[in-house]
Amino acid sequence: MPRLRFNVAIMAIVLPALAAGIPAAVAAEDATEIEVIVESILAIDGDPAFGEYLGGECATCHRRSAPAEGIPQISGIDPQHFVHAMVEYREGIRTNEVMRTTAARLSDEEIAALAAHFTDRAAR
Amino acid sequence: MTQKFKTSITRRHFGALLGAGAATLAMPAYLRAQGRPRVVVVGGGPGGATAARYIAKDSNGEIDVTLIDANETFTTCFFSNLYLGDFQSFDDITHNWDQLVANHGITKITAYATGVDRAAKTVTLDNGDTVEYDRLVLSPGIDIVYDSVPGYSEEVSEIAPHAWRAGRQTQILKEKLDALEDGQHIVMVAPPNPYRCPPGPYERVSMFAHVLKRKGFENSRIYVIDPKEAFSKQALFEEGWARHYPGMVEWYGPDIHGGILNVDAKAGIVETDFDTFEGALLNIIPAQRAGAIAHEAGLTNEAGWVPIDPYTMRSQEDEEVYVLGDATVAGDMPKSGFSANSQAKVAAMNIRGDLTDANVFPARYANTCWSLIETDDGVKVGAQYQPTDEKIESVSSFISQTGESDELRKETYEESLGWYDGIIEDMFS
Ligand SMILES: Cc1cc2nc3c(=O)[nH]c(=O)nc-3n(C[C@H](O)[C@H](O)[C@H](O)COP(=O)(O)OP(=O)(O)OC[C@H]3O[C@@H](n4cnc5c(N)ncnc54)[C@H](O)[C@@H]3O)c2cc1C
């Protein structure tokens, strides 16, 4: 699975294109490519035990019991939604810098493990 | 890396391979013989409380966890500047360990640990008791090196507070801040590197200025006498001070002040080579070193900090003692509550790997430090880290930019409120 790797120069072209509403074929292509990555991660059987360890990092900011002000709750999150958001952070589409640097070092397997862990938490 | 770390790694892999059913087999015989393995944690801050909680929670009662802290309550240094600025109350930033006892079966001992006998594997307390451990965690935070500032002492800190350990010191600083009248000045002596919370002094200056501005003071100044040539988030703070508090903050690096000669707290003056600064409020933040127990345990280097194994947070002197947070030499990681909390999770996992058949995954660390410059004007700096043989190394980082929109700055501030609630839950629930 090829990983999207925006560099700053490409971002500089893509983002204004999106903002200006110029539906550059580029933007559409990216959206499709994001979907492809999301689907391939959702197809992975994530390891919830590994996800629990990795999720320790999330727990510093994301409360388990309730949404924290300015920071969404991720316990029990829909896996589709979670994976989509993480891929968009990793590929530099979403802008929050904390989440971008966090997601940037996560492999597909690690995102799948986290998704398995946070979905699992809802069940319990 | 010394050879001794390798043995435990081999055993851990062995344990992991056997799987959950073989827990007792994977456990060393000496531990099976004496019942549940015991972990003793000294210090109930972000490092110690997080470690105690994760070990107890994730081992489901397999490990006996005792948390020793000298106090009944814990006031966080983080957000203590927001207390000075009236954004938080003292109650908001004061917590306790009751939930750790109730929810995870942790034993809390309120006592000061005076010594560690690493051969006997015991910790001595000021009440005369001795506590035995199989693994020890030290997260004692910092000690203030009072005599690093000429004329300063613990006694003088009652008049000229450092407020670099939260509690009564923070309240003294707040009382003095609130008592200022227009035309009276504040002098801060900033600390030399390395110290806890690199942006902390400058966030504090911002909160001082916020209070003076809100009271409509036009003639008061805040003088910062800094032993460092540059400081954390400098461009962001300087931009914010010029924008929100024009003319109020004057920062002097060593090139200008030429060195601090003396602090006379009673007279309210700080003498430097260049000039004498007068203030009705002196906030003196001296140099720092690891908390006393780390020295007592014989784990510190010449500079007064504890070298650790970057892969596990074990002390380099003793593989059965883990050291966390401000007390350590954590490579590129700053001394922050976020860092201590992150390191604690790596240590907790390794301790469970040492004492039970728990899996041990490769360490990874993270930190973000938010600072508030003025109402709704928040900034942040952060990084991701990985262990190497030499140190804990930054792999990627970010920092807020000058000229950001008001909307983004407000979002950043709101994110910091969320982080505070998150880390408090992660430490104390
Ligand atoms: C003004 C200010 C602002 C800050 N802002 C932030 C921020 O926004 N974000 C952030 O992440 N960090 C911030 N920090 C830094 C943060 O507070 C520290 O890095 C963090 O508290 C370190 O945690 P620790 O576990 O190493 O030690 P500590 O939090 O100092 O905890 C140590 C505990 O151990 C106890 N103890 C020590 N020795 C003994 C002993 N021998 N026996 C029994 N008990 C003992 C102490 O009583 C204390 O409760 C700030 C610091 C300051 C001063």
Side-chain angles (χ1 to χ4, degrees), chain B residues 16 33 45-46 73 80 108 125 152 190 192 207 224 233 246 280 288 312 318 328 330 381 386 413 416 419 427:
Chain B
T73 59
S80 68
K108 163 72 180 16
L125 307 180
Y152 200 58
M207 293 297 96
V224 186
K233 300 180 188 164
Q288 294 149 38
T312 58
D318 187 335
T328 65
V381 59
Q386 70 184 13
Y413 170 59
S416 76
W419 162 75
M427 289 165 61

Side-chain angles (χ1 to χ4, degrees), chain A residues 47 49-50 52-54 56-57 59-61 63-66 68-71 96-98 101-102 105-106 110, chain B residues 53-54 341 345 349 361-366 380 384-386 398 414-415 417-419 421-423 425-426:
Chain A
D47 173 4
F50 186 35
E52 180 167 18
Y53 165 64
L54 294 173
E57 184 176 335
T60 306
C61 301
R63 295 178 68 187
R64 268 154 284 230
S65 58
E69 190 169 351
I71 295 180
N96 186 296
E97 292 290 346
V98 179
T101 40
T102 305
R105 71 196 289 207
L106 294 174
E110 289 168 339
Chain B
R53 180 169 174 272
Y54 273 71
N341 167 271
K345 292 167 193 173
M349 174 183 63
F361 299 106
R364 60 173 80 192
Y365 305 94
K380 60 185 170 182
Q384 290 277 329
Y385 306 87
Q386 70 184 13
F398 63 87
E414 282 165 1
E415 191 175 75
L417 298 176
W419 162 75
D421 289 347
I423 192 171
E425 184 176 280
D426 206 31

Side-chain angles (χ1 to χ4, degrees), chain A residues 3 5 13 19 31 63 67-68 85 89 91 98-99 105 107 114 122-123:
Chain A
R3 284 260 300 264
R5 274 278 160 254
I13 300 163
R63 295 178 68 187
Y89 281 122
E91 308 306 340
V98 179
M99 286 308 302
R105 71 196 289 207
S107 66
L114 281 165

Side-chain angles (χ1 to χ4, degrees), chain B residues 42-49 68-71 73-81 97 111-114 125 139-143 163-166 196-197 200-201 203-204 291-293 324-327 334-341 367-371 419 423 427:
Chain B
V42 178
I68 299 167
D69 195 286
N71 300 304
T73 59
F74 184 82
T75 302
T76 59
C77 272
F78 35 107
F79 275 22
S80 68
N81 288 329
W97 298 274
Y112 187 80
T114 50
L125 307 180
S139 192
I142 55 155
D143 270 3
W164 220 244
R165 282 193 312 224
R196 93 173 356 168
C197 195
E203 180 185 57
R204 180 174 286 175
I293 192 72
L324 305 173
D326 289 358
K335 298 186 189 304
S336 74
F338 198 125
S339 295
N341 167 271
N367 176 63
T368 300
C369 286
W370 286 267
S371 303
W419 162 75
I423 192 171
M427 289 165 61

Side-chain angles (χ1 to χ4, degrees), chain B residues 294-341:
Chain B
H295 301 270
E296 293 295 330
L299 303 176
T300 47
N301 64 13
E302 275 172 19
W305 306 100
V306 181
I308 46 85
D309 164 35
Y311 295 92
T312 58
M313 298 306 296
R314 293 172 204 272
S315 149
Q316 287 187 6
E317 287 294 321
D318 187 335
E319 66 167 348
E320 293 174 334
V321 182
Y322 290 75
V323 187
L324 305 173
D326 289 358
T328 65
V329 183
D332 294 342
M333 293 186 90
K335 298 186 189 304
S336 74
F338 198 125
S339 295
N341 167 271

Side-chain angles (χ1 to χ4, degrees), chain B residues 15-52:
Chain B
L17 285 172
L18 284 174
T24 31
L25 283 177
M27 207 184 283
Y30 75 94
L31 291 179
R32 262 183 289 149
Q34 58 191 31
R36 290 199 299 164
R38 290 153 308 182
V39 174
V40 172
V41 180
V42 178
T50 307

